[in-house]
Amino acid sequence: MTDREYMLRAIELARKGSGFVNPNPAVGAVIVKDGKIIAEGYHHAYGQLHAERDALSRLKEDAAGATMYVTLEPCCHTGKQPPCTEAVIAHRIGKVVIGSRDPNPMVSGKGCKQLREQGIEVVEDFMREECDAINPAFFHFIQTNEPYVVMKYAMTLDGKIATYTGASKWITGEQARAHVHETRTMYSAIMAGIGTVLADDPMLNVRLEGEHHQPVRIIVDSSLRIPMESNIVRTAKEQRTVVAYNAANLMSQADAADDRDLVLQTENAEVANDWNRIEQLREAGVEVINCPGEDGRVDLKKITEWMSEQRLDSVLIEGGGSLHEAALKAGIVNHVMAYVAPKIFGGKDAKTPVEGLGIKLPSESVQLSLRGLTQLGEDLLLEYDVKNCRE
């Protein structure tokens, strides 16, 4: 096997931890001696052994002089686990080939420096682009303390996400839909608007064979219209579920101005007319958070701030055109995933991925940079990074 093949194996291992390790990075490691793999490992879940220590724990022979291929610079500080550099040094590894550089200030460059000081050969930036692609959420979160936000939708070739009657099942084929579930496993949370819940009654979970990470479900519901009998509420005790609302809407009929002022300042909203509604949701297992925005809407930036406090490093938005427009306008979107099906719906009133008033001039558009194109059966997945977002 070649150096590239060993690192590709490390990348394959790293991806097994995606979703389980957040907000830590997904990392894989392969140890090679005399032309054969003698151990391999990956970061299985948050708080568990890092990839290097996981691989070293599986050794069946002496690793002295061996080469370790690892997708991210080994850590050199104590967190949930002790420093990986110490374990590498203790096992007398002779060479470490590293893919990504760690932007964490506690690690950045220090891990490599410590290894070199102990006489270990270090190769940096090997297949860096491929390794960086494993952890966009980690890199973004560790440097900005803001969640990595991905906007995802499926549309026809003429840009429709439903017919004029609202029917949307199914736009894409089975392969693309399976890919969506694989994608959901990679993110800490999944977000949808109340319109999607009322129209489709979705589960917003991962439905794949075997054990998989289930993202936190966040529903944007400014007036708490979510039905108690919806799939989301009924399964809230099985999958963490959050409803973000605007308390001002619940107080619109309140008699006392003082009460209205109070409810805007409290997360519990005890004095709200709809307190019983909130209590019912909480008894069902739903977390209800107040994120007041302008014009009675939910402030999406407040949701991302709450996510940062909760250490939720990423979110996949699977909303309709209204939520997508709000997310773009709020400037929170980092990446766009568009599944395009070889179909044409037509219809001037058929829904599109981004609604709202739109823009006056092409120069005011949200600018994107192509990151990838994948064929999934007859469908195409187009992925873009957001270069700018209009306020």
Side-chain angles (χ1 to χ4, degrees):
M1 292 178 68
T2 64
D3 289 342
R4 181 175 178 82
E5 289 172 318
Y6 291 132
M7 187 61 87
L8 284 173
R9 175 56 181 164
I11 291 172
E12 181 182 7
L13 289 165
R15 292 193 181 279
K16 291 184 177 183
S18 293
F20 292 103
V21 300
N22 305 51
N24 281 354
V27 184
V30 173
I31 302 173
V32 178
K33 187 174 182 179
D34 298 328
K36 67 174 183 177
I37 296 176
I38 60 172
E40 57 184 30
Y42 66 97
H43 188 20
H44 290 248
Y46 181 71
Q48 295 186 12
L49 290 176
H50 290 181
E52 299 92 327
R53 286 183 175 270
D54 185 52
L56 291 167
S57 73
R58 301 173 190 275
L59 284 167
K60 291 185 170 56
E61 61 180 272
D62 187 7
T67 298
M68 174 182 283
Y69 297 83
V70 61
T71 57
L72 181 71
E73 179 182 2
C75 67
C76 54
H77 72 289
T78 299
K80 292 285 185 181
Q81 293 290 331
C84 289
T85 50
E86 291 182 0
V88 172
I89 293 167
H91 281 81
R92 296 180 295 161
I93 297 291
K95 180 178 179 180
V96 178
V97 180
I98 298 168
S100 297
R101 301 190 179 207
D102 194 333
N104 186 337
M106 291 186 289
V107 179
S108 185
K110 299 181 179 69
C112 292
K113 182 174 183 288
Q114 192 174 103
L115 295 176
R116 289 188 175 109
E117 288 174 346
Q118 296 298 316
I120 297 173
E121 181 183 353
V122 177
V123 176
E124 297 180 78
D125 300 331
F126 184 74
M127 294 179 63
R128 180 173 178 177
E129 184 174 350
E130 293 91 333
C131 291
D132 283 355
I134 305 170
N135 291 301
F138 167 73
F139 291 134
H140 179 79
F141 189 69
I142 198 71
Q143 294 179 89
T144 67
N145 196 36
E146 296 176 350
Y148 184 72
V149 180
V150 178
M151 189 175 81
K152 167 260 163 188
Y153 54 85
M155 68 179 187
T156 60
L157 192 59
D158 60 332
K160 306 297 183 181
I161 62 173
T163 67
Y164 77 92
T165 66
S168 61
K169 293 182 179 179
W170 295 101
I171 291 176
T172 54
E174 290 186 7
Q175 193 171 338
R177 298 201 300 272
H179 187 271
V180 169
H181 285 277
E182 293 170 3
T183 301
R184 286 177 178 176
T185 68
M186 300 169 58
Y187 296 93
S188 295
I190 182 169
M191 182 187 295
I194 185 59
T196 297
V197 175
L198 294 176
D200 301 333
D201 194 21
M203 286 289 289
L204 299 180
N205 61 356
V206 175
R207 297 187 292 278
L208 296 171
E209 293 184 4
E211 183 183 3
H212 294 283
H213 157 75
Q214 292 289 356
V216 176
R217 298 179 297 198
I218 301 175
I219 308 302
V220 180
D221 182 8
S222 60
S223 298
L224 288 183
R225 292 187 292 151
I226 189 167
M228 294 300 297
E229 65 275 12
S230 65
N231 283 323
I232 294 290
V233 175
R234 289 192 303 102
T235 58
K237 292 183 178 179
E238 302 167 17
Q239 184 176 349
R240 187 180 178 188
T241 302
V242 179
V243 171
Y245 75 114
N246 187 331
N249 294 336
L250 304 188
M251 292 300 293
S252 60
Q253 302 301 318
D255 295 326
D258 289 341
D259 284 354
R260 187 180 298 109
D261 292 339
L262 180 59
V263 77
L264 287 170
Q265 298 173 34
T266 177
E267 287 296 324
N268 295 325
E270 290 93 344
V271 297
N273 288 350
D274 293 55
W275 170 245
N276 288 337
R277 175 73 164 173
I278 295 172
E279 275 290 280
Q280 289 173 354
L281 288 170
R282 287 177 173 161
E283 287 175 4
V286 177
E287 298 175 45
V288 185
I289 60 173
N290 179 22
C291 298
E294 297 179 355
D295 300 323
R297 305 184 75 175
V298 167
D299 189 326
L300 297 184
K301 286 188 176 180
K302 283 187 171 67
I303 295 180
T304 58
E305 289 169 3
W306 174 86
M307 287 184 63
S308 296
E309 294 170 359
Q310 296 286 309
R311 304 293 292 166
L312 297 172
D313 69 349
S314 53
V315 59
L316 184 67
I317 299 180
E318 293 194 27
S322 179
L323 181 59
H324 292 164
E325 189 266 345
L328 290 169
K329 191 173 182 180
I332 65 171
V333 180
N334 304 111
H335 190 75
V336 177
M337 298 179 68
Y339 294 84
V340 183
K343 301 174 182 178
I344 294 177
F345 284 175
K348 65 182 179 62
D349 295 324
K351 289 187 175 297
T352 60
V354 181
E355 296 178 1
L357 180 62
I359 58 173
K360 290 182 179 180
L361 301 170
S363 60
E364 298 172 351
S365 65
V366 176
Q367 298 293 313
L368 307 174
S369 175
L370 182 65
R371 295 297 298 172
L373 187 156
T374 306
Q375 184 169 351
L376 299 166
E378 292 295 308
D379 305 312
L380 293 178
L381 169 59
L382 303 175
E383 295 192 65
Y384 297 88
D385 287 336
V386 178
K387 294 167 66 175
N388 75 305
C389 204
R390 60 190 173 89
E391 294 293 336

